[in-house]
Amino acid sequence: MSTILYARVSTADQTLSHQRTQAEQAGFTIDEVVADQGVSGATTALRERAEGRRLFDLLRHGDTLVVRWVDRLGRNYADVTDTIKEFMRRGVVVRTVINNMTFDGATEDPIQMAVRDALIGFMAATAQAQYEATKASQRAGINEARANAAIQRKKTEYLGRKPSYDREKYDSVIRLLSMEVAGTSEIARLLGLTRQTVLRIKEDPGKALAALEAWDAGSKEAVKQ
């Protein structure tokens, strides 16, 4: 029986070593690591990922699959729930590092099965909802930025103070916050930002992105003129 860690590293801010360290600090003894790099969990099902396919081939009855949280398996409700249930049917125990959740198919009690399946569904739905909320916030911020840029061009208003972060640092703040691996002060130190800047992005990511896009759009227009 083996304990296999599956890690999905979808952005530059996430690392394989960190996910393994978290698992080991939580008490897991990892026999093997399977990891997909730069793959979206929302648009690519686990079976369609290169290492995801290998994971399905590796897991056997009695094995334990460890993931940081269910969002590493994916951010699509149907894919995540189907995947976990398939593993349980094979006799694989699925465990999460965060919240120390355990899912297995050993129980035959209908009440316990119902509670287990409901929890799996809730966690999978949360993973998808978080992804969609982030994307919606980003879209709203971009739309607002475009509208503000148009107004600024018409009125030739002063752009105001340039944000102290660029798009790369903004994305890094959003990713680190979603991973819940570091506090505001630590994120600020890692990215070379002030704590107040990280807090502004955390409290209203759409507004923070809108300010950045508006300034960039206005600056480009000013250069053209």
Side-chain angles (χ1 to χ4, degrees), residues 9-210:
V9 183
S10 56
T11 72
D13 300 316
Q14 302 166 0
T15 65
L16 171 60
S17 61
H18 177 77
Q19 292 183 51
R20 177 164 190 162
T21 297
Q22 270 196 318
E24 291 174 340
Q25 289 177 342
F28 293 101
T29 299
I30 305 301
D31 297 311
E32 186 169 354
V33 177
V34 177
D36 279 297
Q37 306 278 341
V39 179
S40 169
T43 59
T44 309
L46 183 61
R47 285 184 180 274
E48 296 173 359
R49 305 172 206 160
E51 292 302 291
R53 290 191 293 270
R54 188 165 77 89
L55 183 67
F56 274 93
D57 291 337
L58 280 174
L59 289 170
R60 296 289 186 270
H61 187 280
D63 288 345
T64 297
L65 171 63
V66 178
V67 290
R68 177 182 175 274
W69 201 63
V70 297
D71 63 353
R72 296 304 85 199
L73 294 174
R75 288 186 177 274
N76 176 277
Y77 172 82
D79 179 42
V80 173
T81 54
D82 289 347
T83 294
I84 294 177
K85 290 178 181 179
E86 168 65 19
F87 288 150
M88 288 193 302
R89 284 192 291 270
R90 294 186 180 193
V92 175
V93 176
V94 181
R95 298 190 61 184
T96 67
V97 176
I98 295 178
N99 297 330
N100 190 30
M101 305 301 298
T102 299
F103 302 110
D104 64 55
T107 181
E108 296 182 357
D109 182 273
I111 300 300
Q112 293 181 357
M113 291 171 64
V115 172
R116 178 201 64 198
D117 292 347
L119 185 56
I120 291 172
F122 173 76
M123 294 175 72
T126 299
Q128 180 171 336
Q130 288 176 337
Y131 170 81
E132 292 176 348
T134 299
K135 289 299 180 183
S137 178
Q138 291 176 343
R139 286 194 297 270
I142 291 171
N143 290 336
E144 183 179 350
R146 289 172 177 169
N148 289 342
I151 293 173
Q152 289 173 343
R153 287 195 296 270
K154 291 178 181 179
K155 296 183 178 180
T156 63
E157 294 176 342
Y158 175 58
L159 289 174
R161 184 177 180 181
K162 181 180 179 180
S164 59
Y165 52 90
D166 55 18
R167 182 56 185 269
E168 182 178 357
K169 287 191 176 182
Y170 169 87
D171 288 341
S172 295
V173 170
I174 294 297
R175 298 301 180 192
L176 287 170
L177 288 172
S178 68
M179 290 170 64
E180 299 179 353
V181 297
T184 302
S185 298
E186 180 65 9
I187 292 174
R189 186 187 66 80
L190 288 172
L191 300 179
L193 300 172
T194 66
R195 184 173 182 273
Q196 289 70 26
T197 296
V198 175
L199 283 173
R200 283 197 296 272
I201 296 175
K202 178 180 181 180
E203 292 170 357
D204 196 336
K207 183 178 179 180
L209 181 59

